[in-house]
Amino acid sequence: MKSISSIFLILFGFSALAQQPSFDAAEIEKQIEKLGVLNRVLYFAAHPDDENTRLIAYLSKGKNVETAYFSLTRGDGGQNLIGDEKGDLLGVIRTQELLEARKIDGGTQYFSRAIDFGYSKSAEETFKHWEKDSLLADAVLVIRKFKPDVIVTRFPPDERAGHGHHTVSAIIAAEAFDAAADPNKFPESAKKYGVWQVQKLYWNESSWWNKDIANHKDEYTTVNIGAYDKLLGVSYSEISSKSRSQHQSQGFGMSIQRGDQIEYLKLLKGDSTQPDLFQDHFKNWAGVEGGKSIQKKWSKILSAYTPLDPQSSINGLIDLYFSLEALPENPYKSSKKASLKNIIAACGGLWLDFRAEEPNLVSNQNFGFTALAISQSEFPFVLSSVRVNEKTYPVNEKLSNVYTEISDTIPAPKATSTPYWLAEKNDGNWFIVKNRSFISQPKNAPVLTANFIFETAAGTIEFERPLLYKWTDRVRGELYRNVNIVELISIAFDKKVTLAKNNSVLVRITGNAAIASGKVQLIWDNGNIASEIYTFSDLQKDQTIPLEIILVNANSGNGLLHAKVWENNSETFTHSLIEIAYPHIHTQVILPEAEVKILTEKIKVTRKNIGYIMGSGDEIPEALSQLGCAVTHVNPATATLETLRSFDGVIVGIRAYNTLESMNSLAPILNQYVFNGGFVMVQYNTNRGMVTKDIGPYPIQLSRIRVTEEDAQVVRLQRGHPLLQTPNVIEDADFENWVQERGLYFADEWDAHYTPILGWNDTGEDLSKGGLLATDYGKGHYVFTGISFFRQLPAGVNGAYKLFANIISYGAVKGSESK
């Protein structure tokens, strides 16, 4: 995890890390317009960054339609261009990136419980991981909950989608279209939200699938998402470009797009005689029971709105709020009331804040809070009271342009914070969500809220604000982050994986509050005791103490080690605390079980002094340290042949040739280094966007070939080759228990000087031999590999460690052993 130093500003109504919406006069008018439109669209795809932000921005900002994106996954199986988070932690980042994107394009966000298990080549393979009825149940729940008139899929329901997850998203969308209207299907969500009949299902086709699509416009419903919005002063494609650029972990930053751009929608289900997206009309309040007066009041407010005097609209908006409240329940009432509150606050410069004094609160312990309210207009907002944690604080005063402030000390909630979908152990395919009311939600509810209660002539209006922590950064200015509830004690192992040097591990104990005394013990995953009980005392708040703990019966464990801590012989604590901090998202706190993978096999390695060129971020240097290597990070922009001569070998990190322009000039130097007697290992790069294709001493052509079945059969093409024999003998068992995949972006053509070492393939495909290539060049040695060591080594795959050790030992004579 790392923090990126950059100034980041998002326009169009929201600051990226703001406490509440902040609309300018034009955006207020846009929001008022939106109050009168009742249509809804659900965009449907598989991953964060699959969504068409252009269409979402056009519908939400241009047509004032409530638009949501339903992503089957949180993107846990992708790569990360901004840090070393993978798996669950990457899913947390990509979830937040989607939420920041929606703040810009105006959409809302939903998820299923499916886990992104990595690239999938077919729907059949995907459904082996994702139980179809459960996935369909989640989709139906979202449809019944959101109640869209139209569903739009990003992908076609067949192999053209290019990814099994993509194909499945389209298949599920089509089936959910029908199932959501059937009361006999998934009765749990039918009982809670009612059944719902979607009017139309479209596929958002493009030239990606049909190169000649522009010449067949009459076969599609078309929209110009490049249209210019005179009120906002931007085009919808400009808005969408900024939204799309929030997917920073995937490298989707893009230049601002302007000008006409046509989107093509192909009708898959629904009334084909109505070519318009919304059956030739927009729904309004006049068609809702009791809504005719609402329609008239809304129309009057909109026509009378004055951008130079937004507060003059407040009385009408308050009257509209209570008129909505008096209506019978309908699908639109709740969301429009929430929107009305935001508009009222914006018109009156009403700012409400609920702050804690620190970002992490200890469960059940007292903390201080401050509730603040200010009105920066002349409208007479009368704050009656503030309610926090069932306690009401009377105020009874008209707000002014000076903060009204309430402060108190109360106990923090008992339940600790971690993303709800990570609260239970999962199997890599499906998140376990015990509280079913959380299903589909993008994030946790706030740990605590304050209700600011205002008196009006028509009644009381309550504005709810979440408990947040505010601070000021000297570079980035005012910032907010979520408040989290943590345990009294946090535990962290020094490594994710350790080769159990000297049969001991380093454990760090951190006090999130002061602790008089405590005890620590390590336990194997099978329940066996792994250490004696260690004691500590006088642990201060935010103090961390390291404990070197000796393992007993080190070889009897099953490889996974847990820690538990007692405080004053009472409550037991077992969790770590991980913070993920990047400027473009709210800081996230995750509380996983404190555990470390122990590898007890002695693994030999013959090169010890390694220069490492970091690419897009991985944890290979840590694995090298575990093998007993000294690792020096090499800057490719300044490295020279003389620099490289100081190393026994040089390893090029993942996607370095995609992300580092300086690799273009370093590549020939690396080849000369090898020729003079050095060793270079190049890890996987994508075959698009490379700064040079000369990644080895002889030509190599990279492809999009990958082996996604992590248990794919391995063929040893050169059984006697040193990479499989020296200094560690690679056996069949070493290819067991791999995670997510074998590898990706293998070579499909290479010079005859290279020797392919391994072959493997996914079911039904030809054998791929380009995942591990080795050659001698001059006096030195070179290896290219597309094997996903960047996943296997952090996951503690023993056989991957052995194979990696053999690769970096290739051509070296003298051997030694990891301890």
Side-chain angles (χ1 to χ4, degrees), residues 326-593:
L327 285 182
E329 287 304 314
N330 62 65
Y332 318 104
K333 178 177 172 178
S334 178
S335 65
K336 297 302 184 183
K337 282 174 61 182
S339 296
L340 260 170
K341 289 181 184 181
N342 288 334
I343 297 168
I344 291 168
C347 285
L350 183 63
W351 185 263
L352 308 172
D353 222 343
F354 183 35
R355 306 176 191 166
E357 297 170 355
E358 51 190 321
N360 294 330
L361 308 178
V362 175
S363 173
N364 278 335
Q365 292 201 357
N366 288 344
F367 74 97
F369 76 82
T370 302
L372 302 106
I374 190 171
S375 172
Q376 300 169 89
S377 72
E378 297 173 359
F379 187 84
F381 287 109
V382 178
L383 180 60
S384 171
S385 59
V386 178
R387 187 174 65 251
V388 178
N389 205 23
E390 305 304 322
K391 182 177 180 179
T392 299
Y393 299 84
V395 179
N396 297 318
E397 67 178 59
K398 185 176 77 171
L399 296 183
S400 66
N401 201 20
V402 177
Y403 276 113
T404 294
E405 181 175 325
I406 295 171
S407 296
D408 199 2
T409 300
I410 59 174
K414 177 177 175 58
T416 55
S417 302
T418 202
Y420 74 84
W421 61 94
L422 300 180
E424 304 291 334
K425 284 278 189 180
N426 63 68
D427 62 0
N429 297 319
W430 203 249
F431 291 122
I432 308 301
V433 181
K434 289 189 174 180
N435 187 336
R436 299 187 66 80
S437 66
F438 291 166
I439 295 173
S440 83
Q441 294 302 304
K443 61 179 181 178
N444 291 11
V447 299
L448 200 63
T449 59
N451 287 70
F452 295 79
I453 303 166
F454 287 83
E455 291 291 341
T456 76
T460 60
I461 299 181
E462 295 191 13
F463 292 80
E464 186 177 81
R465 293 292 182 264
L467 182 65
L468 298 174
Y469 173 69
K470 191 198 88 165
W471 78 106
T472 302
D473 183 89
R474 292 185 64 185
V475 175
R476 298 166 61 207
E478 180 178 289
L479 298 169
Y480 284 86
R481 58 174 285 185
N482 298 319
V483 168
N484 294 276
I485 308 301
V486 301
E487 293 181 339
L488 179 64
I489 295 170
S490 297
I491 312 158
F493 287 99
D494 199 44
K495 306 285 189 293
K496 294 180 182 178
V497 179
T498 179
L499 273 65
K501 299 174 184 178
N502 302 318
N503 287 332
S504 69
V505 295
L506 183 64
V507 180
R508 300 184 187 276
I509 310 297
T510 300
N512 297 316
I515 299 139
S517 64
K519 298 178 181 180
V520 186
Q521 189 171 38
L522 303 183
I523 310 293
W524 290 110
D525 199 42
N526 60 9
N528 291 341
I529 300 299
S531 79
E532 302 294 337
I533 294 176
Y534 286 63
T535 61
F536 60 89
S537 60
D538 297 323
L539 182 63
Q540 300 303 306
K541 176 177 168 57
D542 296 328
Q543 179 189 5
T544 298
I545 57 172
L547 294 173
E548 187 77 24
I549 297 183
I550 305 299
L551 301 181
V552 296
N553 301 319
N555 294 322
S556 68
N558 68 348
L560 197 60
L561 197 62
H562 300 268
K564 66 177 183 178
V565 177
W566 298 269
E567 183 264 335
N568 290 332
N569 296 313
S570 57
E571 189 174 359
T572 301
F573 304 98
T574 61
H575 293 92
S576 295
L577 191 159
I578 298 173
E579 284 198 350
I580 301 176
Y582 293 97
H584 66 302
I585 61 174
H586 275 285
T587 298
Q588 299 296 298
V589 168
I590 301 94
L591 306 174
E593 285 286 325

Side-chain angles (χ1 to χ4, degrees), residues 672-729:
Q672 186 62 50
Y673 166 71
V674 173
F675 188 83
N676 293 348
F679 166 80
V680 168
M681 171 188 180
V682 172
Q683 299 178 81
Y684 103 91
N685 288 265
T686 65
N687 63 348
R688 291 184 295 177
M690 297 180 68
V691 299
T692 177
K693 293 185 178 180
D694 297 326
I695 63 173
Y698 304 108
I700 298 175
Q701 178 177 289
L702 301 186
S703 70
R704 296 182 64 83
I705 295 172
R706 58 175 74 194
V707 176
T708 63
E709 296 172 10
E710 61 270 24
D711 57 353
Q713 182 67 38
V714 180
V715 177
R716 304 177 201 212
L717 303 172
Q718 303 289 334
R719 284 188 169 271
H721 196 279
L723 290 183
L724 301 179
Q725 298 292 329
T726 306
N728 308 284
V729 177

Side-chain angles (χ1 to χ4, degrees), residues 2-74:
K2 56 187 178 182
S3 178
I4 301 172
S5 297
S6 63
I7 297 174
F8 197 84
L9 182 66
I10 299 179
L11 305 177
F12 312 118
F14 291 88
S15 168
L17 305 181
Q19 185 261 17
Q20 66 185 40
S22 179
F23 305 138
D24 61 21
E27 183 66 32
I28 290 173
E29 185 170 349
K30 178 65 68 172
Q31 292 295 320
I32 293 174
E33 287 180 355
K34 198 165 186 173
L35 288 173
V37 180
L38 305 185
N39 299 76
R40 290 175 176 168
V41 174
L42 181 64
Y43 203 86
F44 211 114
H47 310 107
D49 71 48
D50 282 346
E51 82 277 23
N52 185 340
T53 58
R54 300 182 300 273
L55 190 58
I56 292 175
Y58 167 82
L59 291 169
S60 178
K61 299 285 189 177
K63 293 301 182 181
N64 297 313
V65 171
E66 288 188 45
T67 310
Y69 174 41
F70 179 43
S71 176
L72 295 187
T73 77
R74 296 176 185 268

Side-chain angles (χ1 to χ4, degrees), residues 591-728:
L591 306 174
E593 285 286 325
E595 58 187 32
V596 62
K597 185 76 171 288
I598 303 294
L599 303 182
T600 57
E601 183 174 355
K602 303 302 181 182
I603 299 175
K604 299 175 182 178
V605 63
T606 57
R607 282 194 175 89
K608 293 289 188 173
N609 182 19
I610 302 296
Y612 198 89
I613 299 171
M614 290 296 292
S616 61
D618 61 50
E619 299 170 89
I620 300 296
E622 175 56 41
L624 288 166
S625 296
Q626 286 294 304
L627 288 168
C629 299
V631 182
T632 302
H633 288 279
V634 176
N635 182 350
T638 59
T640 65
L641 187 59
E642 189 61 31
T643 303
L644 301 182
R645 282 177 181 153
S646 64
F647 303 116
D648 298 336
V650 176
I651 299 177
V652 180
I654 61 174
R655 298 179 73 166
Y657 283 102
N658 298 122
T659 59
L660 302 175
E661 189 63 39
S662 53
M663 290 302 296
N664 183 34
S665 57
L666 184 63
I669 298 175
L670 287 171
N671 290 337
Q672 186 62 50
Y673 166 71
V674 173
F675 188 83
N676 293 348
F679 166 80
V680 168
M681 171 188 180
V682 172
Q683 299 178 81
Y684 103 91
N685 288 265
T686 65
N687 63 348
R688 291 184 295 177
M690 297 180 68
V691 299
T692 177
K693 293 185 178 180
D694 297 326
I695 63 173
Y698 304 108
I700 298 175
Q701 178 177 289
L702 301 186
S703 70
R704 296 182 64 83
I705 295 172
R706 58 175 74 194
V707 176
T708 63
E709 296 172 10
E710 61 270 24
D711 57 353
Q713 182 67 38
V714 180
V715 177
R716 304 177 201 212
L717 303 172
Q718 303 289 334
R719 284 188 169 271
H721 196 279
L723 290 183
L724 301 179
Q725 298 292 329
T726 306
N728 308 284

